Every structure is written in structure tokens, then in C-alpha cells.
Amino acid sequence: MGAQKKGATARVSEDPEELARHPLQAILLADSFTTKFRPITLERPKVLLPLVNIPMINYTLAWLESAGVEEVFVFCCAHSKQVIDYLESSEWSSQPNFSVTTIESHNSISAGDALRLIYERNVIHGDFVLIRGDTVSNMSLTQALQEHKDRRKKDANAIMTMVVKQSKPSPITQQSRLGTDELFMAINPVTKQLLYYEDKAEYSKGFISLDKTLIADNPSVILHNDKQDCYIDICSQEVLSLFTDNFDYQHLRRHFVKGLLVDDIMGYKIFTHEIHSSYAARIDNFRSYDTISKDIIQRWTYPFVPDVLCGSSAIKVERQGTYRASDVTLSRSAQLGSFIFIGQGTKIGNDTKISHSVIGERCTIGSNVTIEGSYIWNNVTIEDGCQLRNAIVCDGVILKSGAVLQPGVILSFKVVVGQQFVVPAYSKVSLLQQPTQQDSDEELEYADSTSGTGELRSDKLNGDIAPDLSETASELGTGGVGYIWKVFEGAYDEEWRHSVAPIPTDKLVKLMLDRDEDEELLTQDGNVISASGELKTDSDGNGSEDDDNEDSRDDYVSFEKEVEATFLRAVHENVKVDLAVLEVNALRLSYNMASVDCGGAIFYSMMKLAVESPHNSASELHRNAADIVTTWQKLLKSFLHDIDEEIEVILKFEEMCLESAKDFAALFPQILHLLYDKEILQEDAILRWADEKEGADESDKVFLKRSEKFIQWLREAEEEEEEDE
Amino acid sequence: MPYTNQAAALIHSVKAVGERLIAANPVELAVGNVVRRVLHIVREEDLSLTTAAMAGLNLSAESDDEDDTDRDNHPALSAAAIAAASRSTLRPPSLQTLLEDVPDSAAVPHTSSSGGDSEGKSKSADKSSRSRKLKHDVIEAVNELIQDISTCHELIAEQAVEHIHQNEVILTLGSSRTVLEFLCAAKEKKRSFRVFVAEGAPRYQGHLLAKELVTRGLQTTLITDSAVFAMISRVNMVIVGAHAVMANGGVIAPVGLNMVALAAQKHAVPFVVLAGSHKLCPLYPHHPEVLLNELRSPSELLDFGEFSDCLDFGSGIGAPLLHVVNPTFDYVPPKLVSLFITDTGGHNPSYMYRLIADYYSADDLVLERRTTSGN
């Protein structure tokens, strides 16, 4: 029996090792749970949208496979059928040593729901990689995984490792290259622990606030605003159960990460892993779609570049970053600029100019067409004389001759733009009408209801296009088909921030001016963190005395009151000195005060207590003071580490005698003597104080004169000592 | 098309597999080379069996169109002996045998192509035994090829003492296992010489080579690539590895080598390329099937984080102003190469086409196109 039991325990102890040997698993969320890619995502899931002519999910899966992941669970929600069909027909369903399993859900509205569902399925048996289906990377997981495992061995609470990459945000727009908001992260540079995560900083205020304990508990903290969150997380199993326990966690970052960082009861920790030479980024919006496409064309994602993914025989890279399929029909007079991709079977007519663009398969492009910075998907027909600038044109779109797309236009599937029609900038055009009811929470994607109606709607469209055509002819010129979506109030700001088009210069100029104003404001008010993320250093060195700032003065007064209250409580409730020290220390940290201030404040409270306790004569007051000082000298001593602090106490006392507690004025030398006797003040401190006061105004010298005898005595004592030696 | 014989079927399936192998990594020309070598082996073995069978059956009239003198001269030899003889021709021949056999080898493409046609004429009586024999011979020859490839480093290194002399200064760029073993072989033979290693940016494999050379006790100097021209006047010989050797004697080599070759030419320093015979590619560099270069990630050159503000397409004109080009290979034209040292000895660039005629069948040169048109 005993042996059996022993065997059982041995097996248990082996368990973590066994878990570590599990095949590496990954959860791929094939749904962004956002509406940023609407109207395109009403008809096709985001992960299947072509990124440089290859569906996004292929980049993610190819990376997972190369990184040594053996089992991938693809969670699909919106348009789940399309995703499943695609994966089944693709090469991914038949890869050896790499299994792709789909998990379908129809009622998940957030990443949290998805993870809860996966937890219920009980398919994850160890550490796993959590990734979105719209993430492009070429990083090696080996090191990050090893770091994660090593940390786990030391500390079971290290449940997640987040991959970050350096990337500078634009100083003008406060947004990253990827169109997301500037991200602030506080990271412990030694342990790499993530301490703070804020992606929705309020720029209007121009500062971010950090919890003081953050700085108190960590010997060093670096606040970064130049780190980009790659949305690649290495998680332990606990992450899934945490999502289940906290059923209100929806968003991975906003709820889960921030929740863990704030929650100090469970003590779960998140760490970061910074990648340097490799690439990782997530397509969050149209802006990042544009940026990442260009990164891919510039081969930052190598080996996940079109010519390698498709096989070089199909697509060849030519000079100046031109990717061309083998059977492109190109007119002799067509001008292909740099950084372009042209897919198979595409025909390009005379004098057409193309630069910085991606053109998909089987497109027909007429003559005298200008295409700049645009993304044209498959089977698109562009007739003669069209002009496209920074637009996304989905499958099956027809641009009649002379149509113009202004920057930032999104044309969803099968839209027809009429002759000579100019589609205004930032328009989103779709065959589907705009959903009238916008979700109140912009983060949560429709999932069931809206996508359902969307599909219904397209069915209906296939049935009778004629009425639609006549109905919408006015919206997109003669012969045009589609609805131009209206921009919601308040979303104008998002429009240009997240668009494929670069931010127009007038906006930049405006932002620049705003920023200059902000900076002026900031320089006036020196006590805030500037927008560029620099912490104003208010170190222990310069006490509040030098700081004539109103704010800190107020701070000091309230600090003093707090200390006094603490002290009184300590006196009345007979709190131990150690505990009182602790409490005062805590106060000091939360008010960001130096220990000089504490000494002064405690002494002030002590004297105040002495004054306020009943007394009839000066001698009685002296006795009171002596009592209190004797009882609490340890408390006071623990904040008086050096002479400066002691001098501060004397100055404080002087101040009190002049203002709040005039009773003490007469007793000044006696109290000074008392403090000297109790070894609270060293003679050096008193003498230094005396020396300092020597040169001061007459009015300031009142107390110096009163204590002249005492000081004289001190000096003589010192001389005697010297003589003795 | 129906296969009347085993060899054609085998060639077809090898081609199909080979095509996929090549498509998987078209930059690695050695894959295609080995596939072609195997095809050549199959053809040769089949040919030798056919001639042997015909000789055995005394059907010399039908073999008239075969001007393989070797076999015509000895019609009475047994099939096994002929097979052995034909295999001996498959062995890496020396320069001498090549020079002697010029008229015969020139006819090889012709014979091998007509060999397939003559298959139908051969009688099926000994078919099963022949196919078994073919299998055996092909396997044996392929094993020999494998052996050749795995020992090519040693075979090349054996020749080191002939080329590296006392107190010489050798310059190399980047890292190559062949070069390392070549230099070490010379060192082992008690030659004392110095090596300059150009670091080979941006992958800096020269650093690894320098480290390795130092552990083997060689006097090594590491220089930047840009210092090559300054140092070349002190160098006695440039010895480098190759990614592939083309049919015209041009070399596809790690990036930076063309510059080294030009510097060597300027100072009349011999530029020696070491390459195993599997790197000998029967294609010409202007051939459309040849993918001459591979562009790798710019991250090898610069740190993305530091340059991310140059790549912000959200502001400005929205187009990348910074373009980072990171090619893997250089093409060194044949006129800049002084000597090739392969596992079969030293060769002039102008002799490369001869070696190719010996290793490959003309039918196999364009592997992809043939198979796609055949399908």
C-alpha cells in the first residue's frame, strides 16, 4: 500500500514534466470581434481577406507551422462556414505533424467567450500560443517558450508571456505605424515583468497616471511608449480557467491583461518577450492592412513573402520590389513603379501607371488608368481612364470608365461604380445596406444577428438585382450598384486615422499646431508627465521646501494632516512604534514625500499633541512634551537619518513656535535641550543650524538668541572634548 | 503515353518527384542538379543494358545507329561486363579521359535520346530479368553518387597542398565548409600560411569561419568586406566556396564575391572557386528557369525598431522612401575565375561545359518545361 502510494505521488511529481512534453498547441482566433473592417467583413471573414494576395490566415498558419506548433485550434465565429470550408480545401488540412482543428461557435461575441468555450472543450493540455488569425510574424518561438517555461518553474504565477517589438509611434498623431493608439507599457527591465498596460491613454489630458506602488515595489521600472504589442501570447493553461472564472472578461487586453495587472490578490504575473530582428504585427484596421502589406512587400516578414509562400515559379521578385506572376499580360506602354504585386492572369492596358499597389488575380485593367497605393483584389475590372488612390477594391468590383476613387475609399464585394463617378474620400461602399443599429459597444462584433441578416440580404440581392440597381443608381453614378455608408457622428476622427490612405497634410499640420499648444501647456505645468512619456523626476533629493509649486504645497499640507492623524491614532490606540513607522512610510510613498518631510510632520504632530494636552504652566507643557518625546522618540528617530533631516526638524519647530504653537516660544531652548538629551538631535545638527541662522535677518534670529546659552554650552563641551583628546 | 519499359516509367516518376523538389526551393540549384544526375544514371544504365542485351542476342544490325564505340568494339562481352564498363564511364572522369573521349561524349546526348526509341525494338523475352538488373544497377549507381557527394569535401581538400604554398596569404569571404576543410587540410600537411577572412556582411559568417580556423591553429586575420580591395595586394590567392557553378563557368556565390573577384583581377591574384560536382549546374545563368538570387529580410541589415519611423506609411506620401535590398548571392562571370577545384580535380572555367556533358543528359536540362508539356 505504502509503495503504491509512493508510486502515485511520484507520478504526480512527474506530471509537470509530462505536460511540458505535450505537443505545442496554439489557439488561433479567426474572428477579430470588431467591426473595423466593415463593410468587407459583412460578406467575408477578416482572416480570409487577401494580404498581398494570400489570405491572412495563411501567414499565421505558415508561421505557426514553422515555429514548431503541432496542433492548432482555429476558433471561428462570424462566417464560420467560410473559414471551415477554406481550411478544409486548403493544404493545411493535410499537413503531416501539423493538425488544424476548427472550433465553431455561433454565439461568441468576444475573445473571452471564445476562450471560455475552448476551456469547456478541454482540448488544451499545456502551454499554448494564443494568436489572432490576422497576425503576421516570422519570429522564432523557441526562446520565448523556453523563457516562459523557466519562469513557470520558478514562479507558478507567471502565466503569460506577451511578445512585444520596438516600433516608434508617430510623435504628431500619437498613433503607431499600425494605426493603433500609442501604447504605454511599464516593464521591469530585469525580470521583464509587465507592470502596466495602457492603450487608450487620454491625450487630451496629456498625461498618464501610474499607481505609486508600481514604483515603490519595483527597484526599476521602464515606461515604454515605443513598444508595439504583437498580439502573440504564450499562455499557460490557467489563462483559460481565468477567463472562465471571470466571466466578464471579454477583451484580451482591456479586460484580461489589465485585470491581471490590477488584481494583486491572485498574484498572477505577465511577462514580456521582446523580439528584435524578427517581425510580428497584427492587422487591426485598414491603416495596418496598408502598413503590413508594404512590410511584406519589403520582405520584413521573410520567409513569409508571396514568392516563397506561393512558390517562386508562380511569382517572381524583380528589381525595385516588383512581384509579378508568370502569366501577366502587360502592355508595352504600361508603367509599373516600385513595390507592386501583380497576380496571375491579370491584364494591364496601355499607358497605365501603377505604383505601391497590390493587384490580385484575373483582374482586367484598361488603358490610361492610374493606380497608386491601392489594394485591388481578385477579378476586378477597371475600365479606361480610372484613377485610384489609396483605395481597397474587393473581389468582383467593376469601375466603369473614368471613375475616380479618392483616398481612403473602400469598395466591398461586387460594387459597380458608374462612369465618370467620383467616389468621395473615406467612403465605404457595399452592396449591403449599412446596419441601422450600430452596436453600442464598438468592440463587440455582431456575430449572429447582423451577419445573419447580411447573408440573407446578399441572397436577396442575387435574386433581384434590378430594383437595387435602379434604387442606387444615384448613389454611385449611372449604372452604379451599391450603397455608400454614412459616417457616424464622432467617427470622423477614426476615419482618417484608420484609413488606408496616409494622413492628409492638413490634418498633420493641425495636429502639429495642437501639439505645440499642448507642449506649451505642459511646460507651464511642470508636474505632469509629458505626452512623450517622460516621467518628471521628483526624487527624494529635492524636498518640498525648494518646491514653491502650489500643488506640492497642498500635497504637503494634506500629508502633514494624514501623518498627524496617524500619529494620534498611534498614541490613542497604543500602536507599536514599528507599525507606526510602517504606516507613516506608506503615507510618505503615496504622497511622494521625502523622509525629511516625515520627520518634520511627525515632530509637528508630537508638539501639537503636547500643546493640545491640558497644561497650566510652561513647565507642565515641557513635561508633556518630554513625555511624548520619550515615548515616541523611536518613531521620530527612524525618519531622521542624517543631519539635514535633523536641521529640518529644528526649522520646523522654529516655524511652529512662531505660528501655530506660540506656547512653545518660551520653551524653545528647553525643548531643544530635551531633543539633544534624547539623542534625537545631534550637536552637529544644532550647531549647523546655529551657523546657518547666524547670517539671517534679525527677526529670524529670535530663537537663536534664546537658545544662545545652550549652544554656547554645546560649543564649549565640544571644545573640551577636543582638549581632552 | 504507355510505357513499354521500366526505365521510361522510372524516368517519368523521378522527373515528377524532382519537379516538386525543385519547386520547393528553386533557389537551391543543387536539388535540380542531383535530380538530373539521377535521371542521367537511369538513362545510362538502361542504355548499357539495352546494348548488352542486343549484343548478347547478336542483333548488331539494330544497333547500327548506336555509335558508342566502347560497346561496338567489344560485342562479345557479357552483359555484366558491359554494365560495369558503362558504370565506369559514369564515374567522375579525369580531365584526361574527357579530353580523349571528346568525340564519343559529344554523341552522348544523341545516343541517350535514341536509346529510348530503340527500347521498343528489343524483345520482351528477358524483360523481367532485365528490369531487375536495371533496378539493381540504378540503385548501385545512385549509392555511388551519394557517396561522391558526401566525400566531396575530402576529395577537394586532398588537393589543398597542390595549391597552397608555404608563407602564402589566402583571402576568403564568408564561410564555406569546403573552404574550411581545404585550408585545414593544407595546415595538417604542415604548410604554414595566413588567412584573411572577410566577414561577409550582413550574415557575418566570416566571423564563424575565423573562429573555426583559429581553433584549428591557423593564423587568421578578420577584415571587413569593404577592406578587401585594400588588402588584396598582400594576398597570394583568393579561395572561396560557391553556391552553384553554371554551365558557362560563371559562379553564383555569396554576396560580395563579385567585388572580391574584381579586386583580385585588378591585382592579378588567382581567384579559385571550390565546388563539389553536385554544385555544377547544367543551366546557363541567362536561363529563365534559373532563379539567380534570393532577397532576404531587411532585418539582417537594420533594426526594425530603430527605423520604424522611416517605415511609417500613415504620414507623408504614404509610400516607402526607404528600400532595403538584401540579396543573398552574387554572380561572378567566368572571366574572373582563375580555377575551379572540384572533387575530380582542377578545371578551367571554359571546361565546365565538358563536365556537364559528362554528368547530365541533354534531355534533362530543362526539367520543368518538359514535364509540364509532357503532361
Side-chain angles (χ1 to χ4, degrees):
Chain A
M1 182 65 202
Q4 212 179 345
K5 204 177 176 186
K6 204 178 165 191
T9 51
R11 207 174 302 140
V12 167
S13 68
E14 266 170 29
D15 244 351
E17 287 297 307
E18 272 173 35
L19 282 176
R21 259 184 273 116
H22 265 289
L24 183 58
Q25 294 176 312
I27 296 177
L28 189 153
L29 301 178
D31 194 335
S32 60
F33 304 109
T34 60
T35 57
K36 286 186 181 148
F37 268 80
R38 279 193 183 185
I40 302 172
T41 46
L42 281 184
E43 289 165 73
R44 193 186 281 189
K46 183 174 159 195
V47 292
L48 295 187
L49 303 185
L51 183 68
V52 197
N53 209 30
I54 298 167
M56 285 179 197
I57 198 167
N58 272 10
Y59 288 94
T60 317
L61 286 172
W63 170 68
L64 285 174
E65 192 197 14
S66 74
V69 173
E70 288 168 64
E71 208 174 1
V72 179
F73 296 96
V74 178
F75 181 88
C76 13
C77 184
H79 305 289
S80 52
K81 197 158 164 24
Q82 279 189 47
V83 179
I84 292 168
D85 286 351
Y86 174 78
L87 288 175
E88 274 171 3
S89 61
S90 73
E91 55 187 10
W92 298 113
S93 54
S94 57
Q95 293 280 323
N97 307 322
F98 185 69
S99 78
V100 177
T101 316
T102 47
I103 295 176
E104 196 179 357
S105 161
H106 294 293
N107 51 10
S108 298
I109 52 157
S110 69
D113 288 343
L115 293 179
R116 280 185 277 277
L117 190 87
I118 291 167
Y119 180 73
E120 281 165 26
R121 297 278 175 99
N122 198 23
V123 287
I124 298 292
H125 307 294
D127 290 347
F128 64 96
V129 181
L130 178 60
I131 190 174
R132 313 293 192 97
D134 46 13
T135 309
V136 178
S137 176
N138 62 357
M139 70 174 282
S140 156
L141 274 179
T142 333
Q143 202 200 340
L145 264 177
Q146 196 52 48
E147 280 176 15
H148 178 78
K149 281 189 178 140
D150 291 348
R151 271 196 292 263
R152 282 278 290 173
K153 266 180 208 153
K154 279 188 223 139
D155 184 356
N157 282 336
I159 55 164
M160 186 161 134
T161 302
M162 208 161 147
V163 176
V164 296
K165 179 160 183 64
Q166 192 193 357
S167 173
K168 297 172 189 166
S170 158
I172 305 165
T173 54
Q174 315 264 327
Q175 74 177 16
S176 66
R177 315 168 53 238
L178 302 175
T180 49
D181 290 323
E182 195 173 358
L183 172 67
F184 289 97
M185 278 193 213
I187 296 170
N188 184 329
V190 183
T191 62
K192 305 285 176 210
Q193 190 184 345
L194 179 73
L195 303 164
Y196 175 79
Y197 185 99
E198 182 57 68
D199 54 353
K200 290 261 183 249
E202 288 179 62
Y203 299 105
S204 50
K205 287 190 197 159
F207 65 91
I208 59 166
S209 44
L210 296 176
D211 194 1
K212 258 186 189 159
T213 53
L214 192 87
I215 294 160
D217 296 345
N218 292 283
S220 53
V221 173
I222 297 182
L223 184 66
H224 296 278
N225 77 329
D226 61 346
K227 294 281 180 276
Q228 168 199 323
D229 186 351
C230 302
Y231 293 91
I232 296 170
D233 303 322
I234 298 162
C235 306
S236 304
Q237 265 181 301
E238 284 90 335
V239 171
L240 290 181
S241 52
L242 268 175
F243 266 97
T244 314
D245 297 343
N246 300 280
F247 51 84
D248 55 336
Y249 281 178
Q250 304 290 354
H251 193 270
L252 266 182
R253 293 287 183 256
R254 203 161 309 150
H255 300 125
F256 176 70
V257 169
K258 287 187 187 170
L260 283 199
L261 291 176
V262 173
D263 178 18
D264 43 6
I265 299 163
M266 305 294 282
Y268 286 123
K269 289 173 191 157
I270 299 173
F271 289 84
T272 56
H273 173 79
E274 190 176 351
I275 50 173
H276 295 280
S277 62
S278 32
Y279 183 88
R282 179 175 160 243
I283 298 160
D284 180 67
N285 49 45
F286 288 120
R287 170 88 256 120
S288 38
Y289 179 84
D290 173 60
T291 306
I292 292 173
S293 296
K294 281 174 178 150
D295 288 343
I296 291 171
I297 287 176
Q298 296 220 45
R299 305 180 81 78
W300 286 100
T301 59
Y302 181 91
F304 304 110
V305 285
D307 56 316
V308 178
L309 283 179
C310 303
S312 308
S313 47
I315 288 160
K316 279 202 176 143
V317 195
E318 293 164 14
R319 272 161 210 263
Q320 281 294 309
T322 305
Y323 294 71
R324 193 143 58 135
S326 47
D327 55 348
V328 171
T329 315
L330 193 62
S331 157
R332 216 168 257 275
S333 56
Q335 296 170 29
L336 301 188
S338 51
F339 304 112
I340 57 170
F341 177 99
I342 300 173
Q344 281 195 334
T346 290
K347 293 189 183 71
I348 296 172
N350 299 328
D351 293 315
T352 289
K353 292 192 188 88
I354 301 174
S355 61
H356 310 297
S357 298
V358 173
I359 294 165
E361 292 169 11
R362 298 175 300 280
C363 294
T364 310
I365 295 170
S367 304
N368 293 311
V369 176
T370 309
I371 301 175
E372 276 175 27
S374 298
Y375 298 88
I376 292 159
W377 297 358
N378 302 332
N379 298 317
V380 173
T381 307
I382 298 174
E383 293 182 1
D384 298 353
C386 289
Q387 289 188 18
L388 293 86
R389 285 200 171 76
N390 306 105
I392 291 181
V393 178
C394 297
D395 291 4
V397 168
I398 297 168
L399 295 187
K400 297 257 169 91
S401 56
V404 176
L405 302 188
Q406 287 186 343
V409 167
I410 313 290
L411 297 186
S412 190
F413 298 92
K414 292 180 184 151
V415 164
V416 180
V417 178
Q419 272 186 18
Q420 311 289 338
F421 187 78
V422 179
V423 183
Y426 305 120
S427 328
K428 291 175 178 171
V429 187
S430 172
L431 285 191
L432 306 177
Q433 262 176 327
Q434 194 162 12
T436 44
Q437 190 109 42
Q438 187 82 345
D439 286 330
S440 53
D441 188 351
E442 48 114 27
E443 270 310 306
L444 304 181
E445 173 118 293
Y446 46 91
D448 46 356
S449 58
T450 333
S451 71
T453 55
E455 273 160 32
L456 268 178
R457 179 89 197 130
S458 58
D459 287 347
K460 200 180 127 199
L461 266 175
N462 293 339
D464 49 355
I465 259 179
D468 272 316
L469 201 143
S470 60
E471 188 184 316
T472 58
S474 55
E475 271 196 62
L476 283 170
T478 41
V481 180
Y483 301 96
I484 298 181
W485 284 24
K486 283 176 195 66
V487 178
F488 285 98
E489 282 301 322
Y492 281 110
D493 189 41
E494 306 272 295
E495 283 301 315
W496 55 265
R497 270 184 190 280
H498 294 160
S499 158
V500 273
I503 297 162
T505 27
D506 55 318
K507 293 275 185 204
L508 285 179
V509 169
K510 193 166 162 282
L511 279 167
M512 197 99 82
L513 291 174
D514 287 356
R515 191 184 60 144
D516 288 349
E517 276 167 27
D518 281 357
E519 261 175 14
E520 272 162 35
L521 263 175
L522 285 172
T523 40
Q524 280 167 16
D525 188 3
N527 204 25
V528 293
I529 295 157
S530 73
S532 52
E534 285 167 26
L535 266 172
K536 187 190 175 286
T537 48
D538 191 12
S539 62
D540 294 3
N542 49 346
S544 60
E545 219 65 12
D546 318 323
D547 206 339
D548 47 4
N549 196 307
E550 277 301 305
D551 280 1
S552 68
R553 201 77 210 135
D554 289 349
D555 266 4
Y556 183 70
V557 170
S558 59
F559 170 68
E560 215 172 54
K561 278 188 183 142
E562 287 279 346
V563 170
E564 196 188 330
T566 311
F567 178 70
L568 286 178
R569 205 171 61 243
V571 170
H572 294 312
E573 295 170 14
N574 277 329
V575 177
K576 275 193 186 147
V577 176
D578 292 352
L579 287 178
V581 170
L582 216 64
E583 275 189 53
V584 174
N585 248 330
L587 279 174
R588 173 170 78 89
L589 292 173
S590 62
Y591 279 90
N592 196 15
M593 292 293 168
S595 61
V596 174
D597 305 322
C598 292
I602 292 169
F603 182 71
Y604 173 80
S605 345
M606 285 161 85
M607 291 301 116
K608 208 168 168 199
L609 181 68
V611 169
E612 279 164 9
S613 52
H615 60 274
N616 296 323
S617 67
S619 61
E620 231 170 291
L621 176 63
H622 181 239
R623 210 175 52 237
N624 279 346
D627 280 351
I628 293 165
V629 170
T630 323
T631 328
W632 296 100
Q633 56 176 325
K634 251 176 90 186
L635 175 65
L636 192 52
K637 274 303 278 185
S638 59
F639 290 98
L640 303 178
H641 302 296
D642 59 34
I643 289 180
D644 286 344
E645 286 161 4
E646 289 169 18
I647 293 170
E648 176 68 21
V649 168
I650 304 176
L651 291 169
K652 183 86 204 167
F653 185 41
E654 215 179 348
E655 191 185 313
M656 278 178 73
C657 293
L658 280 172
E659 291 164 10
S660 51
K662 294 217 169 79
D663 290 358
F664 271 120
L667 288 171
F668 186 84
Q670 281 93 324
I671 300 287
L672 208 58
H673 196 149
L674 172 75
L675 293 173
Y676 174 72
D677 279 351
K678 295 290 174 199
E679 288 181 346
I680 289 167
L681 298 182
Q682 298 170 29
E683 60 184 46
D684 276 357
I686 299 169
L687 291 177
R688 281 258 298 274
W689 167 74
D691 290 345
E692 272 176 37
K693 284 286 169 180
E694 211 61 50
D697 294 343
E698 276 307 303
S699 58
D700 268 2
K701 282 189 180 172
V702 181
F703 293 103
L704 183 66
K705 278 184 181 154
R706 284 193 190 164
S707 47
E708 212 161 358
K709 265 170 88 182
F710 173 62
I711 289 161
Q712 192 66 35
W713 176 78
L714 273 179
R715 289 224 164 105
E716 278 165 11
E718 196 176 25
E719 276 161 23
E720 269 170 33
E721 262 174 44
E722 276 168 16
E723 276 167 23
D724 285 352
E725 283 164 16
Chain B
M1 108 182 182
Y3 299 113
T4 51
N5 62 73
Q6 301 269 320
L10 184 59
I11 286 169
H12 187 81
S13 49
V14 168
K15 266 190 181 174
V17 173
E19 197 190 353
R20 283 176 61 196
L21 284 174
I22 292 166
N25 190 355
V27 180
E28 193 51 78
L29 294 167
V31 177
N33 299 344
V34 172
V35 169
R36 289 184 187 100
R37 289 280 289 272
V38 170
L39 285 172
H40 180 64
I41 285 167
V42 176
R43 285 181 202 280
E44 287 288 291
E45 293 297 334
D46 183 44
L47 180 67
S48 75
L49 279 176
T50 311
T51 43
M54 285 187 290
L57 291 167
N58 223 353
L59 294 170
S60 50
E62 288 201 359
S63 65
D64 267 350
D65 55 344
E66 314 241 315
D67 29 0
D68 211 338
T69 49
D70 201 22
R71 271 133 239 174
D72 280 357
N73 292 343
H74 315 281
L77 277 177
S78 71
I82 289 174
S86 82
R87 232 175 296 124
S88 79
T89 64
L90 290 174
R91 280 212 198 89
S94 69
L95 190 58
Q96 272 69 29
T97 55
L98 266 176
L99 288 168
E100 284 160 17
D101 285 349
V102 167
D104 300 341
S105 315
V108 163
H110 171 62
T111 50
S112 52
S113 62
S114 66
D117 299 338
S118 65
E119 293 311 316
K121 296 168 195 166
S122 69
K123 298 297 158 250
S124 59
D126 56 343
K127 205 150 227 183
S128 64
S129 75
R130 244 192 71 189
S131 68
R132 222 177 299 130
K133 179 123 189 62
L134 176 73
K135 184 181 166 190
H136 173 259
D137 289 348
V138 166
I139 288 172
E140 199 172 304
V142 168
N143 280 336
E144 219 167 281
L145 174 64
I146 293 169
Q147 186 72 24
D148 277 357
I149 292 172
S150 56
T151 57
C152 77
H153 297 298
E154 293 152 41
L155 288 170
I156 293 171
E158 272 172 22
Q159 307 165 47
V161 271
E162 297 165 28
H163 298 279
I164 299 177
H165 306 111
Q166 195 73 13
N167 289 329
E168 275 193 342
V169 176
I170 309 292
L171 180 117
T172 186
L173 182 140
S175 177
S176 152
R177 195 182 144 205
T178 323
V179 172
L180 174 70
E181 297 204 354
F182 192 80
L183 295 173
C184 291
K187 173 74 187 169
E188 276 159 24
K189 299 267 167 62
K190 303 285 177 242
R191 284 282 147 85
S192 145
F193 57 98
R194 287 196 293 154
V195 183
F196 286 178
V197 180
E199 58 184 359
R203 283 168 281 281
Y204 302 110
Q205 302 220 296
H207 298 175
L208 303 175
L209 180 74
K211 202 173 180 182
E212 193 68 26
L213 288 173
V214 167
T215 56
R216 308 267 188 114
L218 271 157
Q219 185 68 45
T220 308
T221 309
L222 188 70
I223 57 170
T224 58
D225 295 348
S226 38
V228 162
F229 195 87
M231 306 296 269
I232 200 87
S233 58
R234 295 165 57 188
V235 170
N236 296 99
M237 187 191 268
V238 179
I239 299 179
V240 294
H243 173 68
V245 179
M246 305 312 288
N248 65 346
V251 184
I252 296 178
V255 69
L257 271 182
N258 195 24
M259 185 187 73
V260 176
L262 284 165
Q265 191 198 35
K266 175 91 179 163
H267 286 267
V269 176
F271 186 83
V272 176
V273 177
L274 311 182
S277 57
H278 62 281
K279 291 200 173 169
L280 187 55
C281 181
L283 302 175
Y284 285 83
H286 54 75
H287 200 284
E289 304 293 325
V290 178
L291 200 68
L292 275 179
N293 222 331
E294 188 179 26
L295 294 168
R296 295 168 68 98
S297 168
S299 63
E300 287 176 344
L301 272 74
L302 24 107
D303 181 44
F304 180 85
E306 287 304 316
F307 280 81
S308 58
D309 38 359
C310 304
L311 300 162
D312 192 345
F313 312 119
S315 45
I317 57 163
L321 290 171
L322 178 71
H323 185 201
V324 186
V325 182
N326 181 13
T328 319
F329 304 118
D330 246 359
Y331 173 67
V332 182
K335 63 170 185 180
L336 296 180
V337 182
S338 315
L339 186 70
F340 283 103
I341 300 177
T342 71
D343 38 0
T344 60
H347 303 288
N348 214 20
S350 54
Y351 277 113
M352 281 302 130
Y353 82 104
R354 294 268 13 100
L355 285 178
I356 283 159
D358 222 64
Y359 286 138
Y360 304 101
S361 304
D363 290 1
D364 303 327
L365 294 190
V366 209
L367 211 57
E368 298 89 3
R369 195 172 289 169
R370 253 189 84 91
T371 40
T372 44
S373 63
N375 291 341

